[in-house]
Amino acid sequence: MNSWLADRYLPFWASYLQALEVEVVRPQEISVNLPVPAPIRRVLSQVFSLKSQGIDFLLLPDVQLGVEAHRGNPSPWLVDLGATLERLVPGLPPTLVVPAELSPEVAGLAAKIGQLLTQNPMLARRALERTKHQLNSSFTPPKQSGVHLVGVVAQPMLLSDTDWLNNLRAGLAEYGLHLFLADKAPSELRQEGSALELGLELPTDLEAAGMHRYLSRLGKVKGLLYVHDPEYLPLPNPLRKLLKKSEPPKPWRVAGLEAPWPQVAAELAQGLRP
């Protein structure tokens, strides 16, 4: 798939699989008629597309990097994407689950997957030697500009959906507002989230909490938009309780995945006026 944090892990895996001389199949856009929000529908569209192309394995990210939740009842979309897709996509191909972030420690898993796919340890070793430098990839902040910036706090998987972001940008632009995404590395945002001491366990929850802490104090960000969907991409309960107890020091709104963005922008713009 080329969504669901693909920008964080897929560049290495695509290069490595090509070096293994394994065919890499990309998803195509197909229509999926299911009563789910558009960002979720796009994920399902990609999976149905790949299945229809007769793939042997489906590469999926572990967005929680091996961390399990011991408290609460997190959405299955957050904690077990493979099992969730199996319930919705009959005959889902076998999955290869890889961490949604790159580090030198991923090399061991890559070697095992390479041997599984090729049954050739020598080929897997050579392919890994040629591509393992990509496991040291560094974070590049997104290029952003504009005035009347509105920061977004959400589960990070949502912020890798370019179609969703473009719709949000268009809605904000109608009222002279501009989108701003937290420009810190995921690991730094998780540290920000940990500093709130909310008892969060899952990396994506910590990252969302870190967006809140960082964007709340960033002077150039004039308003905040919290995107929460209780079934698919919820913000962590402790963060939502914090918002009720201690409101951010700037105008803010909570919205769902498919909110009427011009209306949300109008409400934020009203709060931004002196």
Side-chain angles (χ1 to χ4, degrees):
M1 293 198 308
N2 56 16
S3 62
W4 223 250
L5 300 184
D7 57 323
R8 299 187 182 184
Y9 72 93
L10 196 55
F12 162 74
W13 286 100
S15 296
Y16 177 54
L17 293 173
Q18 289 171 352
L20 288 171
E21 301 174 8
V22 171
E23 182 183 3
V24 177
V25 179
R26 303 285 185 174
Q28 300 171 352
E29 290 294 330
I30 64 173
S31 176
V32 174
N33 186 22
L34 289 173
V36 297
I40 304 301
R41 202 157 54 244
R42 273 187 282 276
V43 173
L44 290 170
S45 170
Q46 292 191 5
V47 174
F48 276 108
S49 167
L50 291 169
K51 177 193 169 187
S52 70
Q53 295 181 67
I55 62 171
D56 297 310
F57 294 94
L58 177 64
L59 189 72
L60 291 179
D62 173 11
V63 298
Q64 306 304 353
L65 310 178
V67 176
E68 297 183 4
H70 298 95
R71 297 187 296 273
N73 187 27
S75 165
W77 288 89
L78 291 180
V79 295
D80 197 339
L81 181 59
T84 303
L85 291 173
E86 284 180 4
R87 292 193 290 270
L88 295 170
V89 183
L92 187 75
T95 59
L96 300 174
V97 180
V98 301
E101 289 184 15
L102 300 178
S103 71
E105 288 72 28
V106 174
L109 175 62
K112 292 179 181 178
I113 289 177
Q115 293 183 38
L116 169 68
L117 295 177
T118 65
Q119 299 298 308
N120 186 332
M122 290 290 291
L123 175 58
R125 189 177 304 115
R126 289 196 301 269
L128 188 56
E129 283 297 321
R130 290 200 297 271
T131 57
K132 67 180 181 180
H133 66 278
Q134 295 183 43
L135 293 173
N136 299 309
S137 61
S138 58
F139 173 74
T140 302
K143 294 181 179 179
Q144 303 178 96
S145 61
V147 295
H148 308 302
L149 298 176
V150 174
V152 178
V153 178
Q155 289 289 344
M157 293 81 76
L158 180 61
L159 305 184
S160 65
D161 185 324
T162 54
D163 288 338
W164 183 85
L165 287 175
N166 288 337
N167 288 334
L168 174 56
R169 281 193 181 94
L172 293 175
E174 288 190 29
Y175 288 84
L177 307 179
H178 293 87
L179 176 67
F180 186 86
L181 304 179
D183 53 356
K184 282 194 170 191
S187 59
E188 293 179 293
L189 288 174
R190 291 193 288 268
Q191 291 174 358
E192 291 267 2
S194 296
L196 291 174
E197 299 182 346
L198 297 177
L200 300 176
E201 299 174 294
L202 296 178
T204 66
D205 282 351
L206 285 166
E207 195 170 330
M211 295 176 199
H212 159 76
R213 184 173 189 263
Y214 173 59
L215 295 171
S216 292
R217 70 170 190 270
L218 196 62
K220 64 183 178 180
V221 171
K222 304 304 180 184
L224 294 171
L225 176 61
Y226 296 81
V227 183
H228 167 74
D229 184 289
E231 184 174 356
Y232 298 102
L233 293 175
L235 290 173
N237 283 332
L239 176 60
R240 287 185 286 126
K241 291 179 180 178
L242 178 64
L243 290 175
K244 295 179 180 178
K245 179 181 178 182
S246 177
E247 293 195 5
K250 54 190 71 177
W252 62 286
R253 291 290 184 277
V254 178
L257 298 182
E258 296 185 302
W261 299 124
Q263 178 182 328
V264 173
E267 295 171 356
L268 281 168
Q270 184 70 27
L272 292 176
R273 289 171 185 165

